[in-house]
Amino acid sequence: MTHTLTHHDSRHVGRRGTTPTARARDWAEIQERMFVPLYDAVYRDVGVGAGTRLLGLGCGSGLALLRAAALGAEVTGTDTDTDLLGMARQRLLPAPEQGGRRWPAHLVPGMVPEEGLAPFTLVTAFGGASDPEVLRRASALAAPGSRVVVAGAGDPGSFAATITARLTGRSAGAPPEPDPAGAVPPAGEVRGHDAVAARRLLTTVLAAGLRSPRVAIVDCPFGYPGVEGALRGLLASGAFDTAIATAGADQVVKELVEAVRPHVRSDGAVWLPHPLPYIVAEV
């Protein structure tokens, strides 16, 4: 039997998604781990290990930093969300009374840290870096030749783009023009919505003045034990914020329930295939 949310349950999820602390908790407990295949693929790709000095922009609740630290890297993370940064601190730098290992980590509120923590050998922006100036400032803290990796948050099934366009009356947006120098097109297997996402990432990377960009792709499916978990996780990503501001959380949840429904398996689990592009460039 297919499991679905009742109207009452949907409204509860919608109200919960509007509370910043609850949304941060949903990100840390549900959504962030969906990106583990991305983190691990990138770290293999660029060779993270002992000697790596990593700067993670928009580090969230610190799972990507933790996985890099476990490989031997010294990590620094920034985020403007104090709730998420506090959760990252609990993961990486637990207080003595909490027990647990303290990793070689620095956590900094804001977008870009002070120069005193540089130079870095790797800069990551796993949540995307929509502002090229932020990426430029962060890259200036890295040693010449260091790698910079940018990946978007993704949008499996184009749920966020479609629902936002429907509820706001706006177009989902035309894909950006390719780089006039023809730097690097998306990899051949990146098509459709994922190709658009890759071109947007590439545009940001080039605008930040980074060199030799290349596009890679990783299979990063989103899997949830049930519909409620899927809704909480997807809403925690922030991808539906514009739609919520326009039409309200309850309406967005209603639309999202219908979008997710075809992906509910017989046991109630939700499985969303999700090829995710990322860009590797150099300072």
Side-chain angles (χ1 to χ4, degrees), residues 224-244:
Y224 308 91
V227 175
E228 181 172 354
L231 298 185
R232 287 170 54 192
L234 292 169
L235 290 172
S237 71
F240 298 87
D241 286 358
T242 299
I244 289 173

Side-chain angles (χ1 to χ4, degrees), residues 203-214:
T203 298
T204 299
V205 163
L206 294 172
L210 298 171
R211 302 183 296 111
S212 307
R214 61 177 172 83

Side-chain angles (χ1 to χ4, degrees), residues 53-262:
R53 290 175 53 84
L54 185 153
L55 170 59
L57 304 177
C59 68
S61 51
L63 182 56
L65 296 180
L66 180 63
R67 296 184 80 81
L71 293 172
E74 180 180 344
V75 299
T76 297
T78 68
D79 208 291
T80 57
D81 188 314
T82 55
D83 288 317
L84 287 174
L85 206 60
M87 294 174 191
R89 191 171 302 280
Q90 292 175 13
R91 270 182 170 153
L92 291 153
L93 299 167
E97 61 271 18
Q98 293 176 314
R101 177 173 176 177
R102 289 177 64 87
W103 298 89
H106 306 275
L107 298 171
V108 182
M111 293 184 178
V112 180
E114 299 295 328
E115 292 186 9
L117 295 172
F120 298 101
T121 62
L122 173 65
V123 178
T124 61
F126 285 132
S130 58
D131 186 348
E133 183 56 30
V134 171
L135 195 58
R136 187 194 305 273
R137 287 169 52 206
S139 301
L141 300 176
S146 296
R147 305 288 185 86
V148 179
V149 179
V150 181
D155 183 15
S158 301
F159 294 161
T162 302
I163 290 172
T164 299
R166 182 184 301 126
L167 295 181
T168 64
R170 303 174 190 167
S171 167
E177 293 296 321
D179 171 53
V184 176
E189 66 269 31
V190 185
R191 294 187 173 89
H193 176 76
D194 302 306
V196 172
R199 287 197 293 274
R200 286 179 175 147
L201 294 173
L202 181 59
T203 298
T204 299
V205 163
L206 294 172
L210 298 171
R211 302 183 296 111
S212 307
R214 61 177 172 83
V215 179
I217 188 167
V218 60
D219 190 19
C220 197
F222 290 4
Y224 308 91
V227 175
E228 181 172 354
L231 298 185
R232 287 170 54 192
L234 292 169
L235 290 172
S237 71
F240 298 87
D241 286 358
T242 299
I244 289 173
T246 301
D250 287 351
Q251 183 60 35
V252 170
V253 169
K254 180 180 177 182
E255 298 266 349
L256 189 52
V257 167
E258 292 306 312
V260 167
R261 195 184 304 277

Side-chain angles (χ1 to χ4, degrees), residues 34-50:
M34 302 301 163
F35 293 93
V36 165
L38 169 67
Y39 305 153
D40 291 351
V42 167
Y43 294 160
R44 286 193 301 270
D45 188 338
V46 301
V48 169

